[in-house]
Amino acid sequence: MKMKEQTLVLLKPDAVQRGFVGEILSRFERCGMKLVAMKMTNASKAIALEHYDMDDDWFEKVGKRLKEKQGSDKDPVEIGKDVQRQLASYIAHSPIVALVLESHNAVAHVR
């Protein structure tokens, strides 16, 4: 049975800066999703790090992949943590738009 649920979508700085917020929102609405809440905000680095809270398996997987590509001699987990810090810095460097969307199977639909 399809369940009505809500999901959070973050439109990152590049989408906001390039003026794609309306286009992205209209695509969700055309699919039958309902906008429940919307907020433009600046994410602090601490909040951004929470958003990208990854486990050691993720750090190691990403780190190994980059280590192979770049030929680095760093520990894969440390490389993964560097990636996490870069992602958090990126999302915190300028405004983002947070959307709460609602529909049947909203999470799967957004993915």
Side-chain angles (χ1 to χ4, degrees):
M1 179 178 180
K2 292 183 181 179
M3 295 182 58
K4 196 171 200 179
E5 59 188 8
Q6 294 181 348
T7 190
L8 174 68
V9 174
L10 299 178
L11 303 183
K12 296 180 183 169
D14 61 328
V16 175
Q17 291 169 355
R18 295 171 64 194
F20 292 151
V21 173
E23 174 62 28
I24 293 168
L25 180 56
S26 69
R27 289 181 185 202
F28 286 126
E29 289 179 327
R30 279 196 303 265
C31 293
M33 301 192 83
K34 178 182 172 187
L35 177 64
V36 176
M38 180 167 81
K39 178 181 181 179
M40 180 179 263
T41 188
N42 286 309
S44 68
K45 189 131 184 200
I47 293 293
L49 280 169
E50 280 184 40
H51 177 72
Y52 288 110
D53 185 22
M54 308 302 185
D55 61 15
D56 285 341
D57 290 338
W58 185 90
F59 291 136
E60 188 166 351
K61 183 174 100 175
V62 169
K64 281 182 180 178
R65 195 172 12 176
L66 283 174
K67 185 174 180 161
E68 289 172 12
K69 276 186 178 179
Q70 299 171 350
S72 173
D73 60 349
K74 285 178 73 174
D75 175 54
V77 172
E78 285 307 309
I79 294 171
K81 289 181 180 181
D82 287 344
V83 169
Q84 178 199 36
R85 285 188 288 273
Q86 290 170 3
L87 289 169
S89 289
Y90 169 69
I91 202 169
H93 90 278
S94 66
I96 61 172
V97 173
L99 308 172
V100 177
L101 300 171
E102 182 178 86
S103 73
H104 295 288
N105 295 321
V107 173
H109 197 79
V110 167
R111 282 186 184 152

